[in-house]
Amino acid sequence: MTNQSDTTNYLQAFVEGMISSGVEQAVISPGSRSTPLALLLHRQEKITTFVEVDERSAAFFALGLSKASGKPVALLCTSGTAAANYYPAICEANASHIPLIVLTTDRPHELRQVGAPQAMDQFHLFQSHVKEFIEMAIPEGTKAMLDYSYWQGMRVIDTACQTPKGPVHLNFPLREPLLPDLNQALIAEKTTKIVVGKKQLSEDELIKFVDACQGKKGVLVVGGSHTPEEAKVFIELAESLNWPILSDPLANITACGKDSSLIMSYADLFIQEVEMNQSPEVVIRFGMVPISKNTMFWLQSLSETSKIYFVDETGEWQDQLKQTQVAIQAEEQLFAKAIRDRVKIKTTDSWRDQWINWQEITAQQLMKLSEMKTLNETSASILVHKKMAKDGQLFVSNSNAIRFLDRFSSPESNQYQLFGNRGINGIDGIVSTALGMCATHPNRQNVLLIGDLAMYHDMNGLLLAKRYNLPLTIVLLNNNGGGIFSFLSQRQLKSDDFEPIFGTPIDLDFSLVAQLYDAEYTKAESLEQLEQLLEATQTQAKFQLIEVVGDRQENVLLYEKVIGGLTEKLGKK
Amino acid sequence: MTNQSDTTNYLQAFVEGMISSGVEQAVISPGSRSTPLALLLHRQEKITTFVEVDERSAAFFALGLSKASGKPVALLCTSGTAAANYYPAICEANASHIPLIVLTTDRPHELRQVGAPQAMDQFHLFQSHVKEFIEMAIPEGTKAMLDYSYWQGMRVIDTACQTPKGPVHLNFPLREPLLPDLNQALIAEKTTKIVVGKKQLSEDELIKFVDACQGKKGVLVVGGSHTPEEAKVFIELAESLNWPILSDPLANITACGKDSSLIMSYADLFIQEVEMNQSPEVVIRFGMVPISKNTMFWLQSLSETSKIYFVDETGEWQDQLKQTQVAIQAEEQLFAKAIRDRVKIKTTDSWRDQWINWQEITAQQLMKLSEMKTLNETSASILVHKKMAKDGQLFVSNSNAIRFLDRFSSPESNQYQLFGNRGINGIDGIVSTALGMCATHPNRQNVLLIGDLAMYHDMNGLLLAKRYNLPLTIVLLNNNGGGIFSFLSQRQLKSDDFEPIFGTPIDLDFSLVAQLYDAEYTKAESLEQLEQLLEATQTQAKFQLIEVVGDRQENVLLYEKVIGGLTEKLGKK
């Protein structure tokens, strides 16, 4: 049978393989079967480890670490339902292309299908939501098996990091004794390196594409998640073409710190209100459709005379509009730069000027509204965006929070980075993912904008902030329930159908939550007070909860007032 | 495309199909795609609905409802990661044979694989952990499709309830509009009924079995989860044979209220200490190996002259000892009663008397220890068992809590029922499962015995207690961390390896948790105070948290003191 020394060497080889492929962080949940891997990761100087008891929070925390670092992150848990708790974060990682390395430990073959405690079928546990499932061999100490273990560690990280990036799952059957021999000499590092190429078009293809676009009345549409540096490249591309740019908030076009009148940050508000004389001749789309439903409806309404290009390196072609005429599989940044550098003919100013005019009218309309000067969920969200410091990190929750930012963010801001979980848009795991972001760059300004239901759903994640002193500022938009449903068709229901099933007030006193996890707590009473608190976070980071009391109905009324005003100004309908 | 009326009728037919097969309770998590099913369930008078935002807690709550009622329970959520949060409870339900009816809603085919929001692959989402996965048809209003929908609702409940019971998963692709027509006439109930037979041996086979057992020196070993009524049948079987009975705490042998000197409730403590002159000639085992590791080691050590029978209706043969000589696939209760009624020859008293002697010596040894008279985790656990009222319900958490009960429960008690999650033994979801148990019989005494890590893991479940006024008494054994590891090989580690990875202190002030969820809170200061509090719960149920501060090291020392004393008394080693 397996001995302590074989298990130790075999797993150490795996860990070193992972390190050689770039793993620097690991999140561990306590358990017995996982003992040898947990201790080897904990003892390994090249890997920073975090420990979290709730595996669901642990996995979302790892997701946040990887989002902020751009690097693969390992996750480790014991056998049984522990692993099943990882599932929500794994689904999100798969949809948003985050390389999580999921390590589960398992009973060896002789203890399976026999009712052994904490044992269940872990084969392909995460179904189609991981890029690869590997059942590892039982540890053995032969050179062949140490080489195999090192090679799997190295290779699987590469699999996770190839385009489209995504999670992988390795299941380790382990026999007792589970305590490793920690005094054992570590095996020497190997030096295999992997160099990965990127999809690029040929010069001929690029020239042909430029010819098809330049000088035309076009629109650039940028979805997906991008760093500020990447966002700037898209803006430069728009400027070279002289086209307006529509984008998803996570594309960071509005938050990247580069000013440009071409950034249509208020598109969600005005695009369905305006009388458009002419459809665009060309649309270039990068990544998924932006979050704005109005932008989506507008894209959907374009006639077939608009030529639509869809650029996406993954080849997954996630285009719910199904109107693409040319799908281009190429690395987006290289492609955008190549086009930017080759465009010689700018489109006439009159095309973009009407867009700039719509954006400005919307800005003026917003400025006029008294609601924007008093504290409410909308004004608080706008303020959070404005008060982000250079290189700060803002995590935005799903449902209303990200929609407030999308609709109301002005393009003038410092360069900061916006993060979210927009693969599958769950409200589970937001707190932990934001804390993972914070743990990656704890010395920056770190802010989370979140509603009360999402906060409750992942309250357990707060233990990570307490244990690791993570200086996250949480701005809680508390409208006591599911505010998004007040914007959807469900709002037509009578109150005794609506409140118990959709409104779902939870009546939690969040000051107690703050106290439980040692966070500073403030209930913001005015926009000025919130502004001061946010300004302070630019220079002095700390773990704090700022509660903004909102009202579900008020959010809808304010939105309708804005749209009503624009309908009047912009003439359509 | 689908219209509102078709969707309503189609889904209403499904709900009526479920009702005809016995579904009376449903747990709903809010979402948009699930709107029509949520509203139809909410409006349906024959189904009691509960709403919980955190799908992980919702699923464990449904598990608890089904455990306490013995009936199938429906679960409903929206598309995306929401469903993935069900996974831990589904794995547990599958392993412990609980008929959860998992209803997920999904985008229709035209919105799949195109990057539509909150969409992911939900086919076979729960892999091998459900008995059946069904992709439902898109709603249509034809008679054929209404019949299909009713039939699926009825049939799938039957599938879930057949032996071995277990969860089933139905995925509903739904198109907009999502609001159902609630004014529509409900379709008439159909009257199809299903009658299910049970596996039974023939009279010849029974007689042959009785002949092989009666008069022999035997032991009855009862694992698995049983009601007090079922437990009594096993005791009657033991009495007819005059054999000692070893059991798992969840088998409720010790808690069923039937006194018998044959109940070896302290077996875990004495069985490895005694000098046994003779191996049993026959062992009859029902269900899985009991939790006691010492009982398992003893069974494992039996020579091949012991004839071992394994009785299990499921045919899954979950026998980690792999020493069964005859595996009998028959319904356990019918089989036990049949044998009980046919036994004519009792085994000689001398065989059982030595066992009774060991049990009594252990009882005396425990009584002598001063630690049993002061408040600690062990004495608190013993007291909880003693203070359960007739027909009360006690839920016991995994890791240490259930082991304390298993080792130290005296056989004299009222008839109450003990519940636990012993399919895969996770510490996730315990609070919610206990609340499901409580919600099924809220007028009984309902107690949960739980450690601090399990309490933290499923703290979100407490919102259900608050929302539905569930009068659960939680006895929290708080040793600030993972107490179980102090009993395992990991305790050999140095503190700087042990504490961060296994000890994992969480330093939470649980009085704040109680306050957050409107539970009464008491920190028990003495065994007398705890006794008074528990006695009060017998007549006046309320939602309360009683904290017993424990010490991880002290638990181990006490256990070692008990074992040390028994080694001395009982002579072996």
Side-chain angles (χ1 to χ4, degrees), chain A residues 522-542:
Chain A
T522 318
K523 181 173 280 178
E525 303 289 354
S526 69
L527 214 49
E528 292 68 34
Q529 189 196 1
L530 180 61
E531 185 163 8
Q532 282 163 17
L533 289 165
L534 290 169
E535 267 171 9
T537 66
Q538 297 179 354
T539 48
Q540 204 198 357
K542 61 185 172 189

Side-chain angles (χ1 to χ4, degrees), chain B residues 78-143:
Chain B
T78 188
S79 63
T81 56
N85 283 278
Y86 282 166
Y87 209 6
I90 288 173
C91 293
E92 175 63 28
N94 192 45
S96 56
H97 303 142
I98 302 298
L100 290 188
I101 315 303
V102 183
L103 314 176
T104 60
T105 49
D106 200 352
R107 309 271 149 168
H109 303 67
E110 64 274 19
L111 287 178
R112 293 171 178 176
Q113 291 90 41
V114 296
Q118 231 171 302
M120 63 180 212
D121 180 7
Q122 299 181 183
F123 272 50
H124 294 284
L125 187 63
F126 307 115
Q127 244 278 358
S128 58
H129 300 278
V130 288
K131 289 180 71 177
E132 190 168 319
F133 165 76
I134 297 162
E135 166 75 3
M136 291 290 286
I138 296 268
E140 287 182 51
T142 59
K143 179 170 184 317

Side-chain angles (χ1 to χ4, degrees), chain B residues 254-514:
Chain B
T254 308
C256 72
K258 183 173 169 64
D259 276 353
S260 168
S261 59
L262 295 169
I263 302 172
M264 298 294 121
S265 73
Y266 298 131
D268 182 71
L269 295 174
F270 71 69
I271 202 160
Q272 289 285 74
E273 307 308 318
V274 300
E275 196 74 69
M276 227 172 263
N277 298 321
Q278 197 183 359
S279 268
E281 295 168 290
V282 184
V283 175
I284 305 178
R285 281 187 48 203
F286 289 86
M288 309 222 299
V289 180
I291 187 177
S292 157
K293 271 212 171 176
N294 289 327
T295 301
M296 187 186 79
F297 290 144
W298 177 75
L299 285 168
Q300 229 159 12
S301 74
L302 296 181
S303 69
E304 284 184 16
T305 59
S306 298
K307 181 110 178 167
I308 297 181
Y309 294 90
F310 184 80
V311 185
D312 170 30
E313 193 189 8
T314 69
E316 289 181 340
W317 206 355
Q318 299 284 292
D319 175 17
Q320 61 187 115
L321 305 179
K322 302 186 198 77
Q323 54 174 188
T324 304
Q325 285 155 342
V326 181
I328 296 169
Q329 290 182 17
E331 199 279 325
E332 300 184 1
Q333 284 290 302
L334 292 175
F335 179 79
K337 284 177 190 165
I339 303 305
R340 173 197 68 191
D341 297 343
R342 283 163 181 77
V343 169
K344 302 240 163 56
I345 308 164
K346 275 189 194 299
T347 300
T348 161
D349 281 353
S350 64
W351 166 249
R352 60 141 217 225
D353 285 347
Q354 62 173 343
W355 288 83
I356 293 174
N357 186 42
W358 297 330
Q359 168 82 4
E360 276 175 6
I361 287 173
T362 310
Q364 285 159 16
Q365 169 73 5
L366 292 178
M367 288 222 304
K368 275 200 322 208
L369 290 178
S370 60
E371 286 90 342
M372 297 302 177
K373 288 156 200 135
T374 55
L375 183 64
N376 54 53
E377 293 179 64
T378 308
S379 64
S381 303
I382 296 173
L383 193 61
V384 165
H385 164 71
K386 282 193 180 152
K387 291 295 157 186
M388 288 306 296
K390 185 160 163 52
D391 292 326
Q393 303 189 116
L394 172 59
F395 202 98
V396 64
S397 180
N398 290 318
S399 286
N400 272 344
I402 191 165
R403 290 192 170 78
F404 288 146
L405 274 193
D406 179 53
R407 285 177 191 143
F408 298 110
S409 289
S410 57
E412 314 82 33
S413 77
N414 276 309
Q415 171 185 318
Y416 73 91
Q417 183 157 4
L418 187 66
F419 293 91
N421 281 349
R422 294 304 291 178
I424 315 180
N425 313 346
I427 60 163
D428 45 354
I430 298 292
V431 173
S432 300
T433 319
L435 284 166
M437 165 195 88
C438 179
T440 303
H441 298 296
N443 298 323
R444 300 189 187 171
Q445 181 199 27
N446 283 285
V447 182
L448 166 62
L449 183 68
I450 189 169
D452 54 299
L453 286 197
M455 180 78 185
Y456 156 72
H457 206 296
D458 189 26
M459 223 145 59
N460 274 7
L462 296 173
L463 188 58
L464 284 152
K466 177 173 166 162
R467 178 168 289 159
Y468 295 105
N469 290 313
L470 302 177
L472 182 69
T473 292
I474 301 175
V475 178
L476 172 67
L477 305 176
N478 186 359
N479 55 38
N480 200 23
I484 189 78
F485 295 109
S486 301
F487 284 91
L488 305 179
S489 61
Q490 286 84 351
R491 67 179 156 169
Q492 301 162 29
L493 294 165
K494 285 183 305 176
S495 172
D496 56 349
D497 283 323
F498 184 86
E499 279 299 301
I501 306 281
F502 302 101
T504 58
I506 54 175
D507 300 311
L508 291 184
D509 176 352
F510 283 98
S511 72
L512 291 170
V513 176

Side-chain angles (χ1 to χ4, degrees), chain A residues 28 30-32 35 38-39 42-43 51-57 80-82 84-85 87-88 91-92 110-111 113-129 176 178-179 182 288 293 316-320 322 422-428 453 456-461 463 466-467 485 488-490 492-494 496-497 500-502 504-510 512-513 515-517, chain B residues 28 30-32 35 38-39 42-43 51-57 80-82 84-85 87-88 91-92 110-111 113-129 176 178-179 182 288 293 316-320 322 422-428 453 456-461 463 466-467 485 488-490 492-494 496-497 500-502 504-510 512-513 515-517:
Chain A
I28 299 171
S32 185
T35 295
L39 285 166
H42 174 64
R43 282 289 191 99
V51 175
E52 167 57 38
V53 170
D54 183 340
E55 294 85 3
R56 182 173 68 181
S57 295
T81 55
N85 284 278
Y87 209 6
C91 293
E92 174 63 27
E110 64 274 19
L111 288 177
Q113 291 90 41
V114 297
Q118 231 171 302
M120 62 181 213
D121 179 8
Q122 298 181 186
F123 272 49
H124 294 282
L125 187 64
F126 307 115
Q127 243 279 359
S128 58
H129 300 278
E176 302 197 13
L178 294 169
L179 277 190
L182 291 171
M288 310 223 295
K293 270 213 172 176
E316 290 181 341
W317 207 354
Q318 299 285 292
D319 174 17
Q320 62 186 115
K322 301 187 198 76
R422 295 303 292 177
I424 315 179
N425 312 346
I427 61 162
D428 45 353
L453 287 197
Y456 156 71
H457 206 297
D458 189 25
M459 223 146 58
N460 273 7
L463 188 58
K466 177 172 164 161
R467 178 168 289 158
F485 295 109
L488 305 179
S489 60
Q490 286 84 352
Q492 301 163 28
L493 294 165
K494 285 184 304 177
D496 57 348
D497 283 324
I501 306 281
F502 302 102
T504 59
I506 54 174
D507 300 311
L508 290 184
D509 176 351
F510 283 98
L512 291 170
V513 176
Q515 209 181 326
L516 183 62
Y517 292 106
Chain B
I28 299 171
S32 186
T35 294
L39 285 166
H42 175 64
R43 282 288 191 99
V51 175
E52 166 57 38
V53 170
D54 182 340
E55 294 84 5
R56 183 173 67 182
S57 295
T81 56
N85 283 278
Y87 209 6
C91 293
E92 175 63 28
E110 64 274 19
L111 287 178
Q113 291 90 41
V114 296
Q118 231 171 302
M120 63 180 212
D121 180 7
Q122 299 181 183
F123 272 50
H124 294 284
L125 187 63
F126 307 115
Q127 244 278 358
S128 58
H129 300 278
E176 301 197 13
L178 294 170
L179 276 190
L182 291 172
M288 309 222 299
K293 271 212 171 176
E316 289 181 340
W317 206 355
Q318 299 284 292
D319 175 17
Q320 61 187 115
K322 302 186 198 77
R422 294 304 291 178
I424 315 180
N425 313 346
I427 60 163
D428 45 354
L453 286 197
Y456 156 72
H457 206 296
D458 189 26
M459 223 145 59
N460 274 7
L463 188 58
K466 177 173 166 162
R467 178 168 289 159
F485 295 109
L488 305 179
S489 61
Q490 286 84 351
Q492 301 162 29
L493 294 165
K494 285 183 305 176
D496 56 349
D497 283 323
I501 306 281
F502 302 101
T504 58
I506 54 175
D507 300 311
L508 291 184
D509 176 352
F510 283 98
L512 291 170
V513 176
Q515 209 181 327
L516 183 63
Y517 292 106

Side-chain angles (χ1 to χ4, degrees), chain B residues 45-86:
Chain B
E45 282 175 12
K46 290 182 184 158
I47 293 183
T48 307
T49 53
F50 299 88
V51 175
E52 166 57 38
V53 170
D54 182 340
E55 294 84 5
R56 183 173 67 182
S57 295
F60 275 109
F61 184 72
L63 185 79
L65 290 172
S66 181
K67 280 189 183 217
S69 71
K71 292 177 182 160
V73 174
L75 262 175
L76 172 68
C77 72
T78 188
S79 63
T81 56
N85 283 278
Y86 282 166

Side-chain angles (χ1 to χ4, degrees), chain A residues 149-286:
Chain A
S149 186
Y150 180 92
W151 173 82
Q152 282 289 31
M154 187 183 65
R155 190 196 62 80
V156 78
I157 308 300
D158 177 56
T159 301
C161 293
Q162 277 176 34
T163 305
K165 292 179 184 177
V168 292
H169 173 206
L170 297 100
N171 192 50
F172 287 82
L174 297 176
R175 288 193 177 124
E176 302 197 13
L178 294 169
L179 277 190
D181 180 357
L182 291 171
N183 299 318
Q184 208 165 299
L186 304 183
I187 59 167
E189 248 188 73
K190 300 204 172 185
T191 52
T192 318
K193 290 276 170 255
I194 298 170
V195 180
V196 181
K198 289 176 174 174
K199 287 186 196 163
Q200 298 183 58
L201 300 195
S202 69
E203 187 62 30
D204 280 359
E205 289 164 328
L206 288 170
I207 295 290
K208 201 175 145 199
F209 182 84
V210 169
D211 284 346
C213 299
Q214 62 183 353
K216 303 273 170 59
K217 297 180 175 72
V219 174
L220 199 62
V221 182
V222 184
S225 194
H226 299 283
T227 64
E229 285 63 38
E230 291 168 352
K232 285 174 190 167
V233 172
F234 291 119
I235 298 172
E236 288 161 9
L237 173 60
E239 285 177 339
S240 75
L241 290 155
N242 209 22
W243 290 0
I245 179 167
L246 305 174
S247 65
D248 189 89
L250 294 194
N252 277 293
I253 300 293
T254 307
C256 72
K258 182 172 168 67
D259 277 354
S260 168
S261 59
L262 295 169
I263 302 172
M264 298 294 122
S265 74
Y266 299 131
D268 182 72
L269 295 174
F270 71 69
I271 202 159
Q272 289 285 76
E273 307 307 317
V274 300
E275 197 74 69
M276 228 172 264
N277 299 321
Q278 197 183 358
S279 269
E281 296 167 290
V282 184
V283 175
I284 306 179
R285 281 187 48 203
F286 289 86

